[in-house]
Amino acid sequence: MSNQSLTGNPVRLSGLLAGAAAMLVFPFLSSCRHDDPNAERPEFVEVYEHPDSLTPLSAASVSVRKGEATFYVKTNVEVTPRWQDAETKPWASVTRFEKIKDDLYELQLTYAKRYNIPYYTRRSGTLMLTAPDLSLGSYLPVHQGLTARLSSDMSWSKYGSSDPRKLDGKISSEWSATDKNRGWESTVIDGREEAYLYGKNGYLMLGSGDGYGADLLTPYVDDLHRDTLIVLSFRAVAYTDLDGNKDANKLTVEVVGGGVIRDFEAQGTTKIEFEAPYYDLNSEKFPSDMWDEGQFLVGIVGTDTNPLTSNTRIRFTAGSLSPVPGKPNRIFLDNVYLRKITSNKHVQDEDLFLLNGGKSGRDTVFQKDDDNQ
């Protein structure tokens, strides 16, 4: 018998074990129903984005915010819809499956938000439409979130305490050999002996108390040369001492080695500046809520004249790298992620940059509202 792959087209269930081994394994058995193993089956099950679409879906993406997605199932047999994923509590379910005309059904998939805080790395599940008695089925991979090219929650940084009020971090020149070799780099200012990058417990600090700035370069990611659109997410807050005195809060994000800031694609600009918020010393939840107002998203695009490359990196700079110190400008930095946005005939990822209002800056994707608490 001939089998088709996971394309949303009819497949014999015996072919599922090979075709879906990378995602899920389903315990179905099949038997050959035709004398001619090469004969095309008259039964079909296909999933479409729209009822008038000409090409069945091979995969689908849903929003990172909770909601509902509608699919259209074309089939000439009775099928049972089910959802399966690897979560302890499934993150999606089939909530409606109605026949709207001959051989056409409308299916509603209801799904939860990706996470309770800004976290957008992809998770996947499978929409299954099966007719077990006929050894027939269609299996559609459904994705939520984006594939990560670089992921660092800074949990490897085990220096000092997690309390930002305590300046007990360790300067990067004194990190362990393992941590020095993770690929993160910082510039030594002219005339100084070491870079003013510090490891804290679960995050990093850029800048010194006597007014020297610091930068941080992300590790190299070879696969970035395959991408055109990526989105950077991170969190950053500025230092406040125990008496309530605030540092300057300038933070610059720069794309080096290829690519431009998406907000300024036409101009080819590679740098954007932000003001990091300050944590609230008087909060009853401090320091667990220190990052709440410091979530950022930055859109990055490869252009014809400045494409993304294997040398593309992100440089974060707190304050100035001038050899003359200024006002202290210490910035705490955490959760640095680079994720690709795939857009082709097979997969149309959700564009987080557009979901953020089409601009880089504070992450508003998960702003609290009645629908997304």
Side-chain angles (χ1 to χ4, degrees), residues 149-169:
R149 291 303 199 194
L150 171 69
S151 304
S152 184
D153 63 1
M154 305 298 180
S155 59
W156 53 266
S157 181
K158 303 291 186 183
Y159 304 103
S161 68
S162 60
D163 190 333
R165 298 168 299 185
K166 297 179 180 179
L167 298 176
D168 54 0

Side-chain angles (χ1 to χ4, degrees), residues 23 59-62 64 87 91 114 119-125 141-149 151 337-344 346-350 352:
M23 180 174 293
S61 291
V62 297
V64 295
E87 302 285 326
W91 58 268
R114 177 64 186 90
Y119 180 74
Y120 307 117
T121 298
R122 172 174 286 181
R123 63 179 174 183
S124 299
V142 180
H143 309 299
Q144 186 181 43
L146 306 175
T147 299
R149 291 303 199 194
S151 304
Y337 290 84
L338 283 172
R339 300 181 178 94
K340 68 173 183 174
I341 302 173
T342 301
S343 179
N344 56 44
H346 301 295
V347 178
Q348 297 293 327
D349 283 340
E350 182 175 42
L352 289 181

Side-chain angles (χ1 to χ4, degrees), residues 234-359:
F234 64 93
R235 53 190 191 182
V237 291
Y239 177 75
T240 303
D241 69 18
L242 289 172
D243 296 323
N245 299 310
K246 301 179 186 298
D247 276 18
N249 62 342
K250 176 184 174 183
L251 176 66
T252 302
V253 177
E254 183 180 5
V255 187
V256 297
V260 302
I261 301 298
R262 194 170 169 186
D263 309 58
F264 315 116
E265 180 179 353
Q267 297 91 335
T269 303
T270 59
K271 186 184 298 185
I272 189 169
E273 293 186 356
F274 301 113
E275 290 186 352
Y278 298 92
Y279 47 76
D280 182 2
L281 286 170
N282 299 315
S283 169
E284 294 180 356
K285 297 180 180 179
F286 184 83
S288 64
D289 64 349
M290 64 178 280
W291 305 105
D292 283 4
E293 301 302 319
Q295 310 283 350
F296 289 86
L297 276 179
V298 178
I300 298 168
V301 58
T303 65
D304 291 340
T305 56
N306 198 351
L308 298 172
T309 73
S310 297
N311 292 319
T312 295
R313 306 172 82 182
I314 307 302
R315 172 184 278 134
F316 299 92
T317 304
S320 169
L321 299 184
S322 168
V324 179
K327 179 179 179 178
N329 194 140
R330 286 163 287 186
I331 299 290
F332 299 109
L333 189 69
D334 194 13
N335 284 18
V336 177
Y337 290 84
L338 283 172
R339 300 181 178 94
K340 68 173 183 174
I341 302 173
T342 301
S343 179
N344 56 44
K345 64 181 181 180
H346 301 295
V347 178
Q348 297 293 327
D349 283 340
E350 182 175 42
D351 193 327
L352 289 181
F353 177 78
L354 296 181
L355 196 63
N356 201 51
K359 61 182 180 180

